[in-house]
């Protein structure tokens, strides 16, 4: 049995997940990196190994495939990895008028953002509970706090993650596992995100964050036991203001602001 403890990160080969991997490795954590089986995963593993003296295991898998989470779990069990931190980061989204996007795309979003996240948590929570102290960090979005026109399925999938995380956190409040949820605004990661941010012009830049900033605050707050992390003071204020506005007025404003996604 491997006596070390590991942090398991999904979607660890790019964007925020990769930044989480570097942040955790810089804190001396051993890592199990999970992402699609491609060159990005190998590159991330090799780069981490060249920078930090920590244990790194890479597991390439399409998490949306049937029994993918079961296979990942069996792999961890076979190697008797001790896991004390789970970061459910893998996720995807899309923008545009609801009916113009193929149903298969929506199914893939709900599968990855919700089904896989629930499966990961269900499989790994008992393993994490064996440790003296355990942590689960779920990746939601600022959009979880807003029903966002032209991103209806993504925003709903992130609301699911938000509600699930807070409910589970309270269930486990007297146990040794902290559940925390992150709600970043736009993060400069993939090409689609960059296109969406550019569509908002200067406003997009005010709220945007770099993956490294998001990962650093996410891990810091997770280890402090905080329930909700919204990176950036301006973003935090936007959420507070949003809660004060009447829902129908808020929706009208949001539709105007996010109309740029309509024909995206
Ligand atoms: N970027 C933003 O503006 C933003 C804002 C708020 C919240 N978020 C959330 O933050 C999380 C990360 O976003 P990101 O922008 O960093 O994403 P990203 O740059 O697109 O990276 C996604 C990561 O997930 C992996 N992945 C995708 N589909 C997978 C699958 N089916 N099975 C296994 N791994 C898979 C990718 O692997 P490959 O590299 O091999 O493709 C990659 O490592 C998501 O949950 C997203 O919804 C993002």
């Amino acid at each position: 049995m491997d006596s070390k403890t590991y942090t398991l990160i999904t979607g660890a080969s790019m964007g925020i997940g990769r930044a989480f991997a570097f942040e955790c490795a810089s804190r001396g954590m051993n890592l199990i990196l999970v992402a699609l089986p491609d060159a990005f995963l190998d590159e991330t593993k090799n780069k981490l190994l060249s920078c930090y003296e920590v244990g790194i295991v890479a597991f390439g898998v399409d998490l949306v495939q049937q029994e993918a989470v079961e296979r990942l779990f069996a792999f961890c069990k076979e190697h008797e990895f001790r896991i004390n931190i789970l970061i459910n980061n893998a996720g995807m989204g899309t923008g545009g008028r609801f009916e113009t996007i193929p149903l298969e795309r929506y199914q893939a979003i709900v599968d990855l953002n919700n089904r896989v996240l629930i499966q990961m948590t269900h499989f790994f929570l008992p393993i994490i509970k064996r440790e003296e102290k355990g942590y689960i960090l779920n990746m939601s979005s600022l959009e979880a706090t807003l029903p966002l026109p032209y991103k209806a399925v993504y925003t709903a999938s992130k609301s699911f993650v938000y509600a699930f995380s807070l409910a589970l956190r309270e269930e486990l409040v007297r146990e040794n596992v902290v559940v925390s949820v992150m709600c970043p605004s736009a993060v400069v990661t993939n090409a689609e995100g960059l296109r969406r941010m550019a569509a908002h012009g200067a406003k997009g830049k005010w709220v945007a964050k770099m993956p490294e900033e998001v990962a650093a605050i996410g891990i810091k707050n997770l280890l402090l036991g905080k329930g909700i992390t919204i990176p950036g003071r301006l973003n935090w204020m936007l959420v507070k203001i949003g809660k004060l506005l009447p829902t129908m007025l808020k929706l009208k404003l949001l539709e105007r602001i996010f109309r740029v996604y309509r024909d995206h």
Side-chain angles (χ1 to χ4, degrees), residues 40-97:
F40 296 114
L41 181 58
D42 295 333
E43 193 275 327
T44 302
K45 178 183 171 180
N46 293 335
K47 184 82 188 158
L48 282 161
L49 284 172
S50 69
C51 295
Y52 301 105
E53 284 186 13
V54 292
I56 312 271
V57 177
F59 189 87
V61 67
D62 180 352
L63 285 166
V64 170
Q65 295 288 309
Q66 285 303 319
E67 297 180 15
V69 178
E70 284 89 332
R71 274 191 282 125
L72 169 62
F73 182 72
F75 170 79
C76 293
K77 222 172 147 193
E78 186 194 331
H79 292 275
E80 298 187 52
F81 291 133
R82 290 172 52 200
I83 295 165
N84 62 341
I85 306 181
L86 167 63
I87 304 180
N88 281 314
N89 164 75
M92 61 176 158
T94 191
R97 271 176 297 152

Side-chain angles (χ1 to χ4, degrees), residues 1-4 79-82 130-131:
M1 176 168 171
D2 193 334
S3 61
K4 299 184 292 226
H79 292 275
E80 298 187 52
F81 291 133
R82 290 172 52 200
R130 287 187 205 145
E131 299 302 321

Side-chain angles (χ1 to χ4, degrees), residues 154-227:
Y154 178 73
T155 202
S157 78
K158 291 300 182 181
S159 296
F160 178 105
V161 174
Y162 183 82
F164 166 71
S165 305
L166 294 184
L168 185 64
R169 175 185 173 83
E170 212 49 35
E171 253 181 65
L172 297 174
V173 83
R174 272 172 280 282
E175 300 191 42
N176 59 337
V177 181
V178 167
V179 181
S180 186
V181 63
M182 278 209 86
C183 303
S185 60
V187 185
V188 186
T189 55
N190 54 41
E192 177 165 347
L194 279 172
R195 266 200 310 279
R196 275 191 274 116
M197 202 177 77
H200 283 290
K203 287 198 298 293
K205 295 206 181 89
W206 295 340
V207 295
K209 294 271 157 230
M210 297 308 286
E212 294 73 22
E213 297 175 74
V214 171
I217 184 87
I219 298 298
K220 180 175 165 234
N221 284 355
L222 176 71
L223 298 179
L224 286 173
K226 295 209 172 157

Side-chain angles (χ1 to χ4, degrees), residues 142 145-146 183 230 234-244:
L142 198 76
T145 62
L146 315 160
C183 303
I230 300 168
L234 175 62
N235 294 320
W236 183 87
M237 271 165 50
L238 286 174
V239 172
K240 295 285 165 208
I241 294 166
K243 284 193 175 142
L244 297 175

Side-chain angles (χ1 to χ4, degrees), residues 239-258:
V239 172
K240 295 285 165 208
I241 294 166
K243 284 193 175 142
L244 297 175
L245 291 176
T247 304
M248 291 306 147
L249 172 64
K250 186 166 70 178
L251 281 169
K252 293 250 170 296
L253 288 171
L254 288 169
E255 196 279 330
R256 283 205 80 87
I257 297 168
F258 289 90

